[in-house]
Amino acid sequence: MAAKKQLTNKFKAEYAKGTKKQKGEVLDRLEAVGMGRSTARRLLTQAVAATPRECFCSIGS
């Protein structure tokens, strides 16, 4: 599992900023090393979503 996370973290910026065609190419590369497309897509979006975000919970209080 650690190897999959390392690969997805390597491509997360490219995937997040890429066009639909570029995202497909990233998925093709990950598929070539034995990872399924749906697994790769899920891990790439989780890797992007895992960046810290500022909390706006106290706005309006």
Side-chain angles (χ1 to χ4, degrees):
M1 184 66 169
K4 287 183 182 181
K5 285 188 178 185
Q6 287 176 343
L7 280 173
T8 55
N9 285 333
K10 182 178 178 182
F11 292 114
K12 71 179 181 179
E14 183 180 349
Y15 186 83
K17 294 179 182 179
T19 63
K20 185 174 182 175
K21 183 176 181 177
Q22 291 168 334
K23 288 180 181 184
E25 291 169 356
V26 170
L27 292 174
D28 289 341
R29 281 187 252 154
L30 291 173
E31 190 177 22
V33 295
M35 190 181 305
R37 288 180 81 84
S38 59
T39 301
R41 187 172 46 249
R42 181 174 37 84
L43 291 174
L44 285 166
T45 56
Q46 284 178 351
V48 172
T51 58
R53 296 184 182 173
E54 192 173 333
C55 180
F56 295 104
C57 302
S58 61
I59 294 177
S61 297

